[in-house]
């Protein structure tokens, strides 16, 4: 096992805290996992993730604000909104795979 210095441990702790600030909580990684299969509408996301619309709206806003999800308003009647992962969200791929294995 590799030994760590006080500095490297502090740096690692900060990185983990930053990551948890962005993807922590009950729903964010679940939503990212659902969106890995492609674009989804709001109601479809709500159904697949098993999340209430109110909470889904809040979680999607935070994921969009952090650059992990993009939102596209479609010119349809009624207006529909599509959500998809950004290229930046792909950096979480190894984390999700490790969690699935665990």
């Amino acid at each position: 096992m590799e030994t760590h210095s006080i500095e490297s441990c502090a740096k690692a702790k900060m990185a983990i805290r930053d990551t948890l600030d962005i993807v922590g909580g009950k729903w964010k990684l679940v939503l990212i996992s659902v969106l890995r299969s492609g674009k989804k509408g709001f109601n479809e996301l709500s159904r697949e993730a098993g999340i209430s619309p109110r909470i889904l709206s809040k979680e999607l806003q935070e994921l969009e604000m952090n650059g992990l999800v993009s939102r596209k308003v479609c010119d349809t009647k009624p207006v529909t909104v599509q959500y998809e992962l950004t290229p930046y969200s792909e950096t979480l791929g190894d984390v999700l795979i490790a969690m699935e294995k665990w």
Side-chain angles (χ1 to χ4, degrees), residues 6-40:
I6 292 172
E7 293 81 17
S8 69
C9 285
K11 188 175 179 179
K13 192 176 0 174
M14 280 182 36
I16 291 169
R17 280 189 184 148
D18 289 347
T19 302
L20 288 174
D21 283 345
I22 293 172
V23 296
K26 182 177 179 180
W27 297 109
K28 288 186 180 73
L29 289 175
V30 171
L31 292 171
I32 289 169
S33 181
V34 169
L35 285 168
R36 289 179 84 190
S37 64
K39 294 179 186 179
K40 303 270 190 252

Side-chain angles (χ1 to χ4, degrees), residues 61-81:
Q61 284 177 354
E62 290 177 12
L63 287 168
E64 186 180 9
M65 181 182 70
N66 287 306
L68 296 169
V69 170
S70 66
R71 177 181 188 268
K72 180 184 175 193
V73 179
C74 302
D75 188 22
T76 57
K77 295 210 183 214
V79 173
T80 58
V81 179

